[in-house]
Amino acid sequence: MSAIDELFIRLRSENRKALMPFVTAGDPNLDFTAAVIQELVARGASMCEVGIPYSDPIADGPVIQASYTRALDHGVKLTNILQTLGNITSDNVAPRLAAPLVTMVSYAIIYRHGLEKYADQLVKQGVAGMIVPDLPLEESSQLANVCKARDLSLIQLVTPTTPRDRALKITETSSGFLYYVSVAGITGERTELPPDLVERVSWLRENTPLPVCIGFGISQPEHVRMLAPVADGLIVGSAIVRRMANAKKDPAATLREIGDYVATLVAEL
Amino acid sequence: MTTTPLPDAAGRFGDFGGRYVPETLVHALEQLAEQYEAARCDPAFQAELDDLLKNYVGRPSPLYFAKRLTEHCGGAEIWLKREDLNHTGAHKINNTVGQALLTLRMGKKRVIAETGAGQHGVATATACAHFGLECIVYMGEEDIRRQAPNVFSMKLLGAEVRPVTSGSRTLRDAVNEAMREWMSCVETTHYILGSVVGPHPFPRIVRDFQSVIGRETIEQSRLRLHSLPDVVVACVGGGSNAAGMFHPFIELDEVSLVGVEAGGRGNQPGDHASPLTYGSPGILHGSFSYVMQDEDGQTCDVHSMSAGLDYPGVGPEHSYWKSTGRVSYTSCTDDNAMQAFDALARFEGILPALESSHAVAEGMKIARKRKPDERVVVCLSGRGDKDAAEIARLKDQSL
């Protein structure tokens, strides 16, 4: 059982929902990444998704792309990112980080490092799992076995273009939770979410014991109010990353702004 | 000898290929594979495609004996497969008319495409104008600068050209942007990918539509040369003209096949665009193939003076052919390609595309080492008019 499984067992037993912010690692630097994760958890985030910058992210909109580019331009390296995560998940840090971390990472990066080596590093640095947005079901069995052997969660995605029979197959191979992508498209804040979103998620949730979390486009308190009742958790990315663009100029103010923003979302859960 | 046809059902050529894409695209790719399979076996589809290739594209393209170039090199005979004489001036149209027909078959009315040199963009805009499809082309800002005539042509043909300002602002970024756009309109829009790259089934579809090049070359060689050529040479960026030329020759072991990558300014990272020569296997743009990556898996910047070869990846089938040894891959520098451009212009009255000039350079090099009774066929994938301004700039001359 991974730390993510434990989290959702606890949340479901308490009838609570998770807010899961996404942050880019290394934008503008890894000190800020560590600080922002600790701030987000202190403000009520149940889990953090850490985006590993990639040069060619085809599922990401302009905000996250720009953030990845900034981080890579500053020369951020995977080894240093994972060490930073290890520093904040360590038992020696007080207060201990009260939320599991997952990496959002392209398969290009995992393959280059070696599947087992990457997974071993996550275990060593106290990271609970990974979301691999460019690794669909058909290509995932090898990595799924590597994760399973280490109690790491491999979180799979279901989208509005996924036929229902395929969605059921995906639920069988996903672990930790199921990531429901709200819209057919790339990451980024949206004012309107699809009208049939609630219905689609409800159907999925009735058909799997796995927790279902919704991401892509979520940015406003109204979104949280509408979706929290039908999901186990909500993922917020671009709305946070957009605010990170100012972190280089004024890290303290950016940290506060992001913390305040996330607190307003947590209040709607 | 018969072998299992590749790719397999999972889109694999040996270890290479596959489908590494966001879940949002999987359903559309499955549909595309099914529709393509049905179309491929449908005589009506093939008849319509053949008619278009003959009467609209102008096929078959000639197999031309380059007599004065042969004399200049003083070795084997050099023959040119004249894809530059196709409508729109390159091999790209072979694929776009095929995929436009598939678009109609799938009931879609809107097309997006990426382009590097602009040849695929023009060929897509052309096919879309022919069929009345809406067309949007993504093109890197750097490529818009160096291939301005093609940008203007696309607009004249009714396409919208969207500049891509991310990353290196070249072909690789244009592919990223087209894929992103496709994510949000996949139900109504077909993505006409221009090379044998990307997720399954694109490498297969593009190879099949381009294989008319190799099939014609075999037929023309038997008629004109009374035998098969000894060597066949083609340039490789993503690798579509080479795949189309080589595929029908794969089981004809007596013919040597040579793919030529862009050697740019030299063999240091960032100075060339030769993943098969200097790269290693990895993931880019939805498939597993040779790629130029750093130790962290980040795609490297690459360089070639020719926009169509300025790409850090290569089609998975080329990686497979490299692994089996059936095709040998080499690279040709900017300078050598430019010398070949000049030679073809002066000795034959043909301005080749800068991309194709890489193949001409290698063809000349091979011809010099071979005997006069041997034959080298070079795939002249496109014409060089589009490159006039860039060549003037590179040669420090004014137009």
Side-chain angles (χ1 to χ4, degrees):
Chain A
M1 188 176 287
S2 85
I4 298 171
D5 300 325
E6 288 167 17
L7 169 72
F8 282 106
I9 289 172
R10 184 163 53 79
L11 288 176
R12 278 188 170 183
S13 75
E14 296 167 3
N15 202 21
R16 286 169 52 214
K17 304 301 166 91
L19 193 88
M20 302 156 54
F22 168 99
V23 293
T24 303
D27 178 22
N29 54 56
L30 288 169
D31 287 344
F32 185 81
T33 306
V36 79
I37 292 170
Q38 286 165 323
E39 174 71 12
L40 288 166
V41 175
R43 296 296 198 107
S46 300
M47 183 186 329
C48 272
E49 247 181 69
V50 181
I52 308 295
Y54 176 47
S55 53
D56 299 79
I58 55 175
D60 282 307
V63 170
I64 291 176
Q65 274 177 58
S67 172
Y68 277 2
T69 304
R70 285 193 298 270
L72 291 172
D73 286 348
H74 295 147
V76 72
K77 294 284 173 197
L78 181 68
T79 314
N80 303 336
I81 294 171
L82 297 181
Q83 269 167 7
T84 300
L85 301 184
N87 292 342
I88 55 174
T89 57
S90 159
D91 290 337
N92 303 327
V93 177
R96 195 169 172 276
L97 194 71
L101 301 180
V102 293
T103 55
M104 171 75 95
V105 55
S106 169
Y107 193 62
I109 293 174
I110 298 177
Y111 181 84
R112 183 69 171 174
H113 281 267
L115 278 54
E116 300 200 342
K117 198 178 147 208
Y118 184 80
D120 286 341
Q121 282 296 312
L122 291 195
V123 172
K124 187 181 164 202
Q125 306 297 355
V127 178
M130 58 185 109
I131 304 167
V132 190
D134 50 5
L135 191 72
L137 179 65
E138 291 74 13
E139 306 286 359
S140 68
S141 63
Q142 207 184 346
L143 186 61
N145 289 335
V146 167
C147 288
K148 201 170 176 186
R150 290 161 180 78
D151 252 345
L152 286 169
S153 298
L154 177 60
I155 295 129
Q156 304 272 22
L157 299 95
V158 171
T159 75
T161 60
T162 310
R164 285 190 166 182
D165 54 341
R166 181 177 167 83
L168 294 179
K169 267 190 233 159
I170 295 173
T171 64
E172 284 163 22
T173 61
S174 188
S175 56
F177 65 92
L178 197 66
Y179 191 133
Y180 189 84
V181 176
S182 68
V183 291
I186 52 180
T187 57
E189 296 168 65
R190 286 166 176 83
T191 327
E192 298 275 317
L193 293 171
D196 56 353
L197 177 59
V198 166
E199 186 200 321
R200 284 170 183 270
V201 175
S202 304
W203 176 84
L204 196 59
R205 206 152 164 253
E206 278 162 25
N207 283 280
T208 176
L210 271 182
V212 177
C213 301
I214 310 173
F216 281 42
I218 298 171
S219 59
Q220 300 173 4
E222 303 87 87
H223 297 156
V224 176
R225 222 172 304 147
M226 177 179 83
L227 297 174
V230 294
D232 292 278
L234 302 175
I235 300 156
V236 181
S238 296
I240 291 168
V241 174
R242 176 164 59 80
R243 290 168 166 89
M244 284 170 62
N246 304 322
K248 198 175 181 184
K249 235 186 310 172
D250 193 345
T254 306
L255 213 56
R256 210 166 39 241
E257 192 196 337
I258 291 174
D260 289 348
Y261 167 67
V262 165
T264 62
L265 300 182
V266 169
E268 299 292 339
L269 282 173
Chain B
M1 184 184 77
T2 50
T3 46
T4 322
L6 293 175
D8 66 15
R12 293 277 169 181
F13 304 88
D15 291 339
F16 300 99
R19 187 183 277 165
Y20 298 91
V21 292
E23 172 62 23
T24 302
L25 295 181
V26 171
H27 184 58
L29 291 167
E30 280 179 353
Q31 267 185 328
L32 178 61
E34 277 170 30
Q35 293 274 357
Y36 174 67
E37 199 50 37
R40 206 174 60 84
C41 306
D42 176 357
F45 179 88
Q46 285 301 335
E48 196 172 358
L49 178 61
D50 290 346
D51 179 69
L52 276 167
L53 290 175
K54 180 167 184 268
N55 298 310
Y56 186 65
V57 176
R59 303 204 71 90
S61 67
L63 182 66
Y64 164 77
F65 176 45
K67 186 163 175 282
R68 292 192 67 225
L69 188 69
T70 298
E71 286 163 9
H72 169 71
C73 292
E77 289 182 1
I78 300 173
W79 292 71
L80 304 174
K81 178 60 175 165
R82 297 291 306 274
E83 291 300 300
D84 61 317
L85 294 179
N86 293 336
H87 180 40
T88 72
H91 69 290
K92 293 292 187 186
I93 191 99
N94 302 329
N95 170 47
T96 60
V97 293
Q99 287 206 49
L101 275 178
L102 274 180
T103 307
L104 296 177
R105 201 181 165 96
M106 291 185 289
K108 295 181 175 179
K109 299 269 189 300
R110 186 171 175 268
V111 159
I112 55 171
E114 85 298 336
T115 197
Q119 291 300 108
H120 174 60
V122 169
T124 305
T126 299
C128 287
H130 177 84
F131 287 112
L133 297 164
E134 184 186 346
C135 178
I136 293 151
V137 180
Y138 290 85
M139 187 169 186
E141 259 192 345
E142 167 65 7
D143 293 338
I144 286 178
R145 180 194 68 71
R146 57 183 168 172
Q147 307 277 238
N150 276 341
V151 178
F152 188 60
S153 299
M154 284 183 261
K155 289 177 183 165
L156 292 176
L157 291 161
E160 181 192 340
V161 180
R162 292 195 185 158
V164 176
T165 56
S166 56
S168 55
R169 295 169 292 127
T170 60
L171 177 55
R172 156 193 160 202
D173 309 286
V175 176
N176 286 337
E177 215 47 50
M179 290 236 188
R180 285 181 193 124
E181 167 65 18
W182 202 30
M183 298 263 289
S184 58
C185 59
V186 65
E187 308 277 1
T188 59
T189 302
H190 178 54
Y191 175 20
I192 299 191
L193 222 166
S195 193
V196 288
V197 302
H200 177 61
F202 283 114
R204 191 262 165 92
I205 291 177
V206 179
R207 176 204 72 196
D208 286 357
F209 285 138
Q210 292 294 359
S211 289
V212 66
I213 304 173
R215 286 198 307 272
E216 282 178 9
T217 302
I218 291 173
E219 203 183 309
Q220 289 165 326
S221 298
R222 287 187 167 137
L223 270 169
R224 309 268 314 276
L225 315 178
H226 308 293
S227 70
L228 291 170
D230 298 281
V231 189
V232 174
V233 186
C235 67
V236 180
S240 69
N241 87 84
M245 178 57 111
F246 295 163
H247 187 254
F249 281 100
I250 285 298
E251 292 185 9
L252 305 171
D253 290 334
E254 64 271 38
V255 182
S256 303
L257 304 174
V258 181
V260 188
E261 294 190 294
R265 298 177 287 246
N267 60 10
Q268 294 305 305
D271 283 344
H272 60 79
S274 305
L276 289 165
T277 312
Y278 301 113
S280 55
I283 315 285
L284 177 67
H285 291 152
S287 84
F288 177 60
S289 190
Y290 276 78
V291 60
M292 295 306 305
Q293 277 181 340
D294 72 6
E295 73 286 354
D296 248 10
Q298 310 293 347
T299 313
C300 298
D301 285 341
V302 292
H303 163 79
S304 169
M305 68 171 176
S306 82
L309 303 183
D310 197 355
Y311 182 67
V314 66
E317 194 161 22
H318 287 292
S319 294
Y320 173 68
W321 288 335
K322 176 186 161 80
S323 75
T324 63
R326 177 63 188 94
V327 180
S328 45
Y329 294 91
T330 180
S331 77
C332 164
T333 62
D334 285 348
D335 288 347
N336 287 341
M338 191 62 89
Q339 284 166 19
F341 176 93
D342 290 338
L344 202 64
R346 297 291 176 85
F347 292 111
E348 296 295 342
I350 297 170
L351 300 182
L354 286 178
E355 292 75 16
S356 322
S357 300
H358 290 71
V360 175
E362 184 63 24
M364 290 167 65
K365 192 171 144 193
I366 293 168
R368 282 190 195 103
K369 290 187 216 149
R370 292 203 170 226
K371 295 194 280 297
D373 62 348
E374 293 184 287
R375 280 83 166 249
V376 178
V377 171
V378 175
C379 186
L380 198 69
S381 55
R383 58 192 289 166
D385 309 52
K386 69 180 176 69
D387 294 314
E390 182 65 359
I391 290 168
R393 192 183 71 85
L394 291 167
K395 287 179 183 283
D396 232 353
Q397 294 172 5
S398 55
L399 275 180

